Structures are given as structure tokens and as C-alpha cells.
Amino acid sequence: MIPDKAPREDVFHGSEELKRDAHVSSFERYKELYQSSIQRPDEFWGDIAKEFFWKTTHSGPFLEYNFDVTKGEVFVKCMGGATTNISYNLLDRNVHERKLGERVAFYWEGNEPGDELTVTYRQLLQSVCRFANVLKAQGVKKGDRVSIYMPMVVELVVAMLACARIGAVHSIVFAGFSAESLCERIMDSQCSLLITADGFYRGDKLINLKLLADEALQKCRDKGFPLDKCIVLRHLSKETEDTSQSPPAKRACPDLQVPWNPEVDLCWLSLTRAASDECEPEWVESEDPLFILYTSGSTGKPKGVLHTVAGYMLYTATTFKLVFDHQPDDVYWCTADIGWITGHSYITYGPLANGATSVLFEGLPTYPDVSRMWEIVDKYHVSKFYTAPTAIRLLMKYGSEPVKKFKRDSLKILGTVGEPINPEAWHWYYNVVGEKRCPIVDTFWQTETGGHVLTPLPAATPMKPGSATFPFFGVVPAILNESGEELEGPSEGYLVFKQPWPGVMRTVFGNHQRFETIYFKKFPGYYVTGDGCRRDKDGYYWITGRIDDMLNVSGHLLSTAEVESALVEHEAVAEAAVVGRPHPVKGESLYCFVTLNDGLTFSRTLEAELKQQVREKIGAIATPDFIQNAPGLPKTRSGKIMRRVLRKIACDERDLGDISTLADSSVVEQLFQNRCGAGV
Ligand code: WT7
């Protein structure tokens, strides 16, 4: 599967200097280690596990599993019988055993240039213990779910690790999601407490998070789920007597309202002030849940992806160390939000497990101007930088000048995640940002995989622009055809994995059957990613995009069904069909076809209302770019909407292929005539 010889053409290599100290320094070495990770997983992962603290050790095989639904329940178990605590491993172990207490864990850089804060491992440990005691005092126990709805502040990391310390399960909801989405997630996970903040700025825009949180709690109450505990961090509206470390925001926020309901709301600061900074960790089982993170599902209802303690810890720690070739003097920066899996795995868990120093950035790449990223790179001497293709394409639009204003000579490795990177963006990232000096690790993975599964190792893997290259250790990919047969050599089909790795998800929270149906039913014996993939003559894997009804907007998955259901909730709409249309920056944009109820006419006002409706139901990331009036939709005789045809119409492509299965082909011409954004 992996070629004997590295290919010679069209490839880029890490520098000799990088290879000198790298953890994995050649392609040969990668292949040796890969083989041993597959053939002797107990030894391979067992050695890695030795670096971590286990209250009691495991017995039996490192991984036990069943991926075949026809043979019984699907399960994955890693290090069965062992007990540990992930916050102990990330904090106490680094402070006490590795003597890294004075090392900086995070350089927090606020939205406003000049808002900054440095947090060491020792300080982080103290804050986590304090807040863990706060949670305990509020009655949170092992196994309880806690929703977290916060901006990118250090306290977000504190909140998640405090949950982990007491064995509670965090469910972080990205602060860009709407009140409705938060309510849905709180109810699905049956949370007993919510943690939020007053508000924050995204660039110029004030987001009043507390109002959204209140609205979500009201919706929960209306639906019969009264959650009556909400801890609120005053991030923007700091009280004058606040003596905590973080400085008040530089930007005044006269518009911020922080309604306070004394029966529900609790002040983060007063609670933590009173709490002790020592907290014995709860020793949990390897397979106890660590967190739930919701991701879009193709039926429209988000799925609560559940990850467990030991496997996730080992996998995020190892991928972080090897994929970013982590070295002690590195300053690492991942620009993702902690509200997504990238932030969970590669801002919090992976870096802290390695004792790394990271930048935690609250703001936007374009605020106050489009040089902000490179200014931050120089300010903190960032050596490893991880971002998304959509951010690269956005900055590329402004040319190389804003980049070249800053030196960037500290950069050593660049990374991308979220969607396939187009070669143009790859070359710009490589040539302009990294000045041809820094390898690019194009990391393919999913919320479900916990960590990188297809990825180059920067000093070892010859890179081909646009390819996520080869599997990480312990990962066994295959490409299947529609009949479920494994294809050999150069081929294209469904990307699947044949066996688990420690970081793979364990279940969909509260619905194990849904887990089995989504990932294991189509091809029994395999984990199905939902992505299409091509393998070239050299064995490189190239992700070709989703093959289900999912869209990738700015590196985030959205389900067409979820957007459609938000649209049809409007009283004017009878039916809706949503497809992706290629977008130069976002990757895909949302193009929506709506059929109105009889007698109604389409108008600009209705269009604006529908866009607003989707924003409110899901969040700003799901705002439709186009809404087209569709008196009829192209359907098969059995009534299935032919999205393939709609995708062509959205792009104004007349070559529709075979449309003989259409029940009424006249709707197609009508839709072409009604197209919106012609010439866009
Ligand atoms: C989907 C997962 C993993 C964190 C961010 C997204 C696409 C992700 C790549 C890549 C090509 C990629 C896939 C995948 N994707 N990384 N390097 N190359 N495609 O997490 O929201 O769970 O989305 O993102 O389609 O299935 P997610």
C-alpha cells in the first residue's frame, strides 16, 4: 500500500535542517514505524502510554473492538481496566514530574491588539483546580454533562479541563451557534449546568453571548427541560474589584447588556475566589466519556460524537507531537476555535499533553487588518502554524504585501485542516507564507476520528500539493467500490478504515444504533468516513470531498437537511432543497431552492426573512448565499429530489447528463430561467 520508493516528481521535501532533530526523520523510518504500529500495536502504543500517568494499569490487549455490525454490537475499547485522569496528565504531570511549571502554556492574544495575557502551566493547574472545586460545589458529579458556550478565552480551557478533572463530560457549543442550536444541544446531552460569558468582540462586532444563552435556556424551559444553573464569566464587563489575572478588555463596550437572573446565574469570579486551588483528580476508567461534541448529521439532527479518556489522550498527544514535530522551544499556534474538534484536539488536549507553548487567539485574521496573523507570528515567534484552507484563500485575495510586512522567520512547519486544499492555495501558503522553507502538513481527519488519520509527517513524507498523503500510525485505510469491494493500486471510491485507532469516537451520545447505522452499516467491517478518495500510482491518498448530503462551508460540515428544515419552518415555504455551489473563499456556499405555498409570490423581503431564519435556527455559518424561487423541483418518479441536477443549475452548467429519470423535465428550464446570482 505504501510505496517502496518515495516518488521523485512533483513532490516537496522537508529541509535537511528539519530532518536533523525530527522525531521521524525519513520516509524509511515512517514506514518501519507504521508497520510496527499495525503489526504490534500493543508494543507501539504501550511504549507511548509509559510516558503518561496511570493510577492503575491495564491488562489484556491494548485495543479490543468489533467493526462488523453483522457480528454484534460495534465497540472499541482501549486500555481496558486502566484508570487515569487527563487533566492530571496535562497539568500536574507537566508541573510536578516534568518540572515545566514556569513554562508558558498559553499566550492569549485578544481580539483587540494589545489585549494579552500569559498563562504558565502552574497557573493553569491552579485555575483548573479552583474551577473544578466550583463545579463540585455546584453539585456536578462524575458522568454529568456540562455545556460550555464561551468565546476564545483562557477560561474556556479552564472550564473544559475542570470538567475532565472531576470526571464530568463537557459539551462545548461553538459561540457562533444560535440560541436554538444551543438549546437543542443542551437538551440532547441532558446537561445539568451551562457555562457562558457576558459577551465578546469578533472584529468590530459585539456578540452578546449572555443574551443568546438566556434565550437558549428559555427555549429549554419551554420544551420542558429547566436547566437552572448558569455560570457567567464577565469577560467584557469586568467589575472594578476584579483582581483576577486577565486584564479588562481595551475596547469599551457601552452596548453590552448583562441581564442577571439571581435564581439561575452565578458569577464565575465570585465562585472561584472562594474556592481552594487544590483538587484531587477523579480517577476514571480508560473508557469513561471525556466529552461530547456535536457535528452535523445527514438527517439534519446533529450527532453528539462521544470521545473517551485514554485513547483520545494518547492519540491527540502522539499526532500533535509527530505531525507538528513538536520541540521544546516551539511556539505553536492553531487558529481554529476551541468550539470545533480542531480546537479540542490541537489547542487544548494535544499541545498540553506535550507541555507545549501555544498562542490562543480570540480575534479574526482580518482585524484590525489583514496582516494580523503575521503580526502575531512575529510577536510570539510562532514556529508551528496550523490553519484552514478557507483562511488561506481569504488572505490570498489581498496579495503578498500584507504578509511580507512581517518577517515570519520563526516559522518552521505549516499545517492545514478542514477541506481539501486547492493547489493554488497550497503554493501560495508554501511560497509566500513559508518562503519555501516550511513543509505543509495537510491533515485529513474528522470530529469522529479524534485526531489526524491521513497526514504527512513534516520531515519524513514527500508532499504532493493537495494530498493528505499517507495514514498515521495505527490507521489502516482502504478504498471501496459501491459493492463494498476493496480496490487495490490506483483507484477511486469510498474512503473507509479497517480497524480502530485509539482516538476514534466510541458512540453517538444516547443513540448507539445511530452510530452503527451512520458509520458501519453500509460496509460491515469498516468505518465509513463519508468522503470520496482517490489513490494515485504512488499510493498517495487524495480526498475528493463528501459523498453524502453534507456541505463543507469554510471547513465546517453542514447538512443540507438541517438547512432545509430551517427553511421549511417558514410559513411561506412548502419545500426546500439545498446544494453546495463552489465558492472562491469558503470552498462551498449554500444555494437554496424554495418552493412557496400556493398563491404566494417570491420577494426580496421574503428572501431576507429566510436568510435570517436560517441564521437564527443554526447560526451565522449556515446563512444561505443564494435563495432561488423554485415553483417546481426536479424529482424522480419516486419523488426523490435530484440534487445532482440542482447543483448544475446553481452553477449555470447546462450539461446535465442523464435526466431520463426525471418525472417532469420542464421544471429544469424554468429553474435555469429563475437562477439568481447569474454572472456571480
Ligand atoms: C470533514 C470533517 C477535522 C477538523 C475539521 C473538520 C473534510 C477535513 C480535510 C483535509 C480534505 C478534509 C472531510 C471530512 N476534511 N480535513 N485535510 N483534506 N478534506 O471536522 O467538521 O468533522 O469535518 O472535513 O470532508 O470528512 P469536521
Side-chain angles (χ1 to χ4, degrees):
M1 181 188 59
I2 296 171
D4 291 339
K5 279 210 185 87
R8 262 166 267 155
E9 309 131 51
D10 309 327
V11 296
F12 294 77
H13 299 266
S15 67
E16 288 308 315
E17 193 191 335
L18 193 73
K19 286 176 195 283
R20 217 173 36 228
D21 307 312
H23 297 298
V24 183
S25 58
S26 69
F27 197 52
E28 296 308 312
R29 184 74 188 128
Y30 159 71
K31 283 186 291 181
E32 276 167 33
L33 285 168
Y34 180 77
Q35 288 311 329
S36 74
S37 76
I38 300 307
Q39 286 157 5
R40 295 179 300 278
D42 289 50
E43 230 170 89
F44 182 88
W45 294 108
D47 282 346
I48 291 172
K50 280 186 199 138
E51 290 175 30
F52 293 84
F53 178 82
W54 307 93
K55 189 73 178 171
T56 55
T57 51
H58 82 291
S59 48
F62 182 81
L63 274 169
E64 293 163 88
Y65 72 100
N66 171 41
F67 263 18
D68 189 343
V69 272
T70 63
K71 296 195 175 132
E73 191 168 286
V74 173
F75 78 93
V76 176
K77 198 167 159 183
C78 178
M79 297 188 74
T83 51
T84 188
N85 181 286
I86 198 167
S87 97
Y88 184 92
N89 274 289
L90 270 47
L91 301 172
D92 310 59
R93 185 177 60 100
N94 280 322
V95 172
H96 301 306
E97 288 172 34
R98 300 179 71 206
K99 310 287 175 222
L100 299 177
E102 307 324 310
R103 183 177 283 183
V104 173
F106 290 110
Y107 290 113
W108 179 76
E109 170 83 9
N111 177 67
E112 212 59 34
D115 272 354
E116 57 189 34
L117 173 69
T118 299
V119 182
T120 65
Y121 274 83
R122 187 183 310 285
Q123 290 167 328
L124 190 60
L125 171 60
Q126 264 185 7
S127 309
V128 167
C129 287
R130 277 218 173 88
F131 199 66
N133 285 324
V134 165
L135 293 176
K136 280 209 268 189
Q138 292 306 319
V140 180
K141 294 183 302 299
K142 179 176 176 223
D144 288 353
R145 275 81 54 209
V146 173
S147 278
I148 305 180
Y149 187 54
M150 289 176 88
M152 285 283 282
V153 290
V154 175
E155 287 86 347
L156 169 53
V157 178
V158 171
M160 66 201 291
L161 294 182
C163 287
R165 194 163 191 91
I166 64 170
V169 180
H170 58 73
S171 165
I172 302 183
V173 179
F174 170 55
F177 274 119
S178 65
E180 176 100 18
S181 293
L182 175 60
C183 159
E184 188 179 14
R185 286 158 176 71
I186 288 174
M187 290 188 50
D188 186 83
S189 57
Q190 301 273 300
C191 283
S192 55
L193 187 127
L194 172 66
I195 307 170
T196 191
D198 48 3
F200 62 101
Y201 277 101
R202 268 181 76 75
D204 272 329
K205 199 168 157 218
L206 174 65
I207 314 287
N208 196 322
L209 204 62
K210 176 67 164 57
L211 286 186
L212 292 169
D214 283 354
E215 196 184 323
L217 292 183
Q218 187 54 45
K219 283 177 196 286
C220 290
R221 249 169 249 134
D222 295 347
K223 293 181 184 171
F225 188 80
L227 190 162
D228 56 4
K229 269 197 183 115
C230 179
I231 301 182
V232 185
L233 173 78
R234 288 185 176 275
H235 172 51
L236 292 183
S237 59
K238 270 201 186 330
E239 295 154 36
T240 42
E241 76 274 22
D242 186 346
T243 53
S244 66
Q245 296 152 355
S246 78
K250 288 237 160 66
R251 177 187 266 269
C253 38
D255 305 335
L256 187 72
Q257 309 160 35
V258 193
W260 204 263
N261 176 354
E263 316 231 306
V264 175
D265 298 328
L266 299 155
C267 169
W268 173 296
L269 183 68
S270 8
L271 295 176
T272 46
R273 256 194 208 139
S276 147
D277 61 8
E278 274 177 37
C279 176
E280 171 72 8
E282 178 84 28
W283 302 108
V284 300
E285 303 267 324
S286 295
E287 283 301 326
D288 276 335
L290 173 62
F291 66 84
I292 300 168
L293 181 59
Y294 286 87
T295 180
S296 300
S298 54
T299 58
K301 190 175 148 48
K303 335 174 256 249
V305 170
L306 186 121
H307 285 284
T308 52
V309 175
Y312 179 81
M313 174 172 81
L314 294 180
Y315 200 68
T316 53
T318 310
T319 46
F320 174 79
K321 175 174 168 185
L322 303 183
V323 173
F324 298 109
D325 190 44
H326 177 65
Q327 304 290 341
D329 54 355
D330 273 340
V331 176
Y332 161 85
W333 180 20
C334 166
T335 67
D337 193 288
I338 292 179
W340 307 106
I341 191 69
T342 307
H344 281 60
S345 300
Y346 300 113
I347 295 180
T348 300
Y349 290 104
L352 293 177
N354 282 276
T357 296
S358 301
V359 173
L360 178 62
F361 178 45
E362 185 191 24
L364 294 177
T366 48
Y367 180 83
D369 61 51
V370 296
S371 282
R372 185 74 190 274
M373 306 274 244
W374 322 120
E375 188 183 339
I376 295 174
V377 165
D378 278 6
K379 178 173 174 184
Y380 298 104
H381 307 287
V382 172
S383 51
K384 312 283 164 81
F385 179 73
Y386 193 29
T387 195
T390 182
I392 298 165
R393 289 192 300 264
L394 171 72
L395 295 176
M396 219 170 105
K397 284 202 310 192
Y398 301 95
S400 55
E401 262 345 281
V403 187
K404 297 206 159 137
K405 278 212 303 230
F406 292 90
K407 295 212 300 273
R408 291 157 290 113
D409 54 353
S410 52
L411 288 174
K412 289 184 178 153
I413 292 170
L414 303 173
T416 71
V417 58
E419 58 179 308
I421 180 164
N422 48 311
E424 201 194 346
W426 195 98
H427 286 289
W428 189 81
Y429 199 27
Y430 186 77
N431 294 329
V432 179
V433 176
E435 308 213 321
K436 305 189 164 95
R437 191 181 67 237
C438 311
I440 295 179
V441 286
D442 175 352
T443 61
F444 166 83
W445 59 296
Q446 310 176 299
T447 304
E448 294 87 338
T449 69
H452 310 139
V453 281
L454 298 179
T455 178
L457 298 183
T461 315
M463 298 160 286
K464 292 193 185 188
S467 167
T469 74
F470 299 107
F472 190 74
F473 302 131
V475 174
V476 186
I479 295 183
L480 304 185
N481 64 15
E482 190 58 49
S483 337
E485 289 149 354
E486 274 187 39
L487 303 175
E488 302 295 328
S491 44
E492 186 164 345
Y494 292 87
L495 176 67
V496 299
F497 295 111
K498 296 168 73 160
Q499 61 182 52
W501 55 95
V504 68
M505 73 183 286
R506 300 302 198 260
T507 191
V508 168
F509 181 76
N511 199 342
H512 196 67
Q513 205 188 338
R514 191 165 173 218
F515 170 66
E516 295 185 332
T517 308
I518 296 172
Y519 304 101
F520 298 94
K521 265 253 160 74
K522 190 170 171 73
F523 301 120
Y526 301 94
Y527 166 89
V528 180
T529 59
D531 283 291
C533 186
R534 180 170 69 82
R535 189 169 44 217
D536 71 13
K537 62 180 189 343
D538 300 315
Y540 280 67
Y541 288 87
W542 301 74
I543 304 294
T544 53
R546 301 292 303 188
I547 37 188
D548 48 16
D549 289 336
M550 303 288 262
L551 297 175
N552 193 320
V553 179
S554 300
H556 301 301
L557 285 189
L558 284 175
S559 89
T560 52
E562 199 178 354
V563 180
E564 286 159 7
S565 86
L567 287 167
V568 295
E569 278 182 43
H570 192 285
E571 56 187 13
V573 178
E575 194 169 17
V578 176
V579 295
R581 179 188 141 126
H583 184 281
V585 173
K586 298 196 277 189
E588 283 187 290
S589 58
L590 293 170
Y591 195 109
C592 311
F593 295 86
V594 295
T595 308
L596 302 185
N597 283 316
D598 256 4
L600 297 179
T601 42
F602 194 77
S603 66
R604 289 269 163 214
T605 326
L606 177 63
E607 183 184 339
E609 268 176 43
L610 290 173
K611 287 186 178 176
Q612 186 55 24
Q613 166 126 343
V614 178
R615 271 179 90 95
E616 274 170 24
K617 296 268 165 207
I618 306 173
I621 44 161
T623 311
D625 294 77
F626 303 96
I627 296 191
Q628 169 170 348
N629 181 21
L633 287 167
K635 290 185 184 170
T636 61
R637 283 177 188 86
S638 63
K640 190 167 159 38
I641 295 173
M642 290 179 75
R643 288 165 195 285
R644 180 173 63 76
V645 172
L646 290 176
R647 274 193 284 272
K648 295 271 175 146
I649 296 170
C651 299
D652 205 12
E653 280 171 24
R654 296 273 166 168
D655 178 12
L656 297 179
D658 177 18
I659 52 167
S660 58
T661 53
L662 266 184
D664 173 7
S665 55
S666 70
V667 297
V668 172
E669 194 40 46
Q670 193 181 30
L671 288 175
F672 270 116
Q673 277 165 19
N674 280 359
R675 275 188 78 257
C676 44
V680 177

